[in-house]
Structure formats: structure tokens, C-alpha cells
Amino acid sequence: MRISRWFSNLFHRRAVSSPEPSSTTPRPTQPPARSGSTTIPVDTFEPTAPMRVSIGKTTGYSPLEKQKLDRAMVKLGEVLNSREFKDAVLSHTYAGKPGFASDSRTPAEIYSVIRAGKENFTSAADGEVDLNVALENFSWFQRNVVGYTTPSSDTVTTNRRFYAGFDESEIAAHLGHEWLHKVGFEHDFKATARRPYSVPYALGELIEALASKPSLTPL
Ligand SMILES: [Zn+2]
């Protein structure tokens, strides 16, 4: 089996003063949606409608890099709306019990959160993956960093050195992992034994595996 690279050395930039969130403490109140945001949340959310993937602002992408992004986001949408994704989330276990590491919610609750698509920088659930993305040439000192974002940011910045080597499934997994943080899922910062079973890591792996399949079963 191929070793995924999209998560290796992924760097989530954190505010130095903020404590590590845990699954047992309430999450802090999120700031209101930024004015001038390129994504416009809608108030009408139909849980049974297909999820959409909406990349707002793309910064630093060449036309070819943007085409690759677009193909990856089509794949991400197909995965999120697939029977295979739903079944895998709902049947996920960690330590012999239904669920994921670093999260006390049930698989059904976690799946609902994903379907709602309520990012911490948007004001309403809209059933949509909303992200702005940027591509940069990282400095030599950050050459092994895949990408970064901050907890409240609406933008994921990716290191072009990695992006160039990613196939569409890996891009879908990379951005899927980051987006899962935006809808409230966490994992250990260090590479602990349980981290692969957290929602962002486990479902990132799942997204890559399903996006690589020639076809998926729509919900
Ligand atoms: Zn992460």
C-alpha cells in the first residue's frame, strides 16, 4: 500500500496563547463571519441534498494548478456524497467502540456535522465545503511543511513543492483534512498512537482511498 504524503509534516499554525482544545471542554465561541468573505452562506440547509464543494478565493495558483484543484474538488464532492463515505464514517471504530479518537461524539453525530458544512468562519450551515486556498513557495526553513492554516482562518495555504507532487486524490485528502478542522474536528498535535484514528486523519485517509476509486455509489 502506498504511503500517503498529504499529512506528513502538516503544520497547523496555532495561537501560542491558546490552550490545546480537548474533546471534553466546550469549544470557544467562534468569531462572527468576516465581512467581505468570498463565501456566502445560505440559511436554507436541506440535509438530504447533495453536499457542494465551493472553493472561494484561490491565491497563487497558475491556470494548470487551478485545473488540478478543480478536478480534486470534483472528486472530494463525489466522495462526500457517496454511500461508501457514509458507511465508512458510520461504521468507524476506535479502541473497539464506535467513534473516533479525540472526539466524544457518535459516528452519526459526526456524519451530521460533516453534512451540515458549518465552518467556524461562516454564520450558517449550508451543506457546503467552503474554503479559500492559497499556494505558496515556502521558505527553505519550511520546505518540509505541507501546508498551514489557523483555527479561525478561512484559508488553507499549501506548499507548492508538495502540491506539485500530489495527485488529485491527495489534494482532496489534504484539503478535506484541513476543512474537517474548520467544522470543529481536532487531533493530537503530536504524532500519538491515536492520532490516525481522529476524524481529520481517519477521514483524510478515507477521502484519499475513495477518491482513488474509479467510481463511487451516489447516496
Ligand atoms: Zn490536522
Side-chain angles (χ1 to χ4, degrees), residues 10 12 177-178 181 185-188 200-201:
L10 190 68
H12 304 297
H177 174 113
E178 295 304 315
H181 284 301
F185 298 109
E186 291 288 344
H187 57 69
D188 292 337
Y201 274 93

Side-chain angles (χ1 to χ4, degrees), residues 45-89:
F45 165 52
E46 175 49 65
T48 58
M51 287 190 76
R52 298 175 306 279
V53 177
S54 173
I55 298 297
K57 196 162 61 177
T58 55
T59 307
Y61 282 76
S62 73
L64 275 176
E65 288 165 339
K66 176 66 164 56
Q67 285 175 25
K68 192 173 171 183
L69 176 72
D70 290 342
R71 291 193 299 270
M73 294 303 94
V74 168
K75 281 181 178 276
L76 178 60
E78 288 170 358
V79 168
L80 292 174
N81 290 302
S82 71
R83 171 67 50 190
E84 289 85 348
F85 181 79
K86 180 179 184 179
D87 289 348
V89 172

Side-chain angles (χ1 to χ4, degrees), residues 158-216:
T158 304
N159 187 348
R160 175 172 281 112
R161 190 168 90 80
F162 283 91
Y163 189 87
F166 282 170
D167 64 21
E168 289 141 22
S169 303
E170 289 169 318
I171 295 167
H174 165 55
L175 293 179
H177 174 113
E178 295 304 315
W179 179 76
L180 287 164
H181 284 301
K182 307 301 181 190
V183 294
F185 298 109
E186 291 288 344
H187 57 69
D188 292 337
F189 187 67
K190 292 181 178 172
T192 56
R194 70 175 185 171
R195 192 172 74 169
Y197 304 96
S198 64
V199 171
Y201 274 93
L203 298 189
E205 288 281 4
L206 178 63
I207 289 167
E208 183 180 357
L210 293 180
S212 304
K213 286 181 176 289
S215 69
L216 293 168

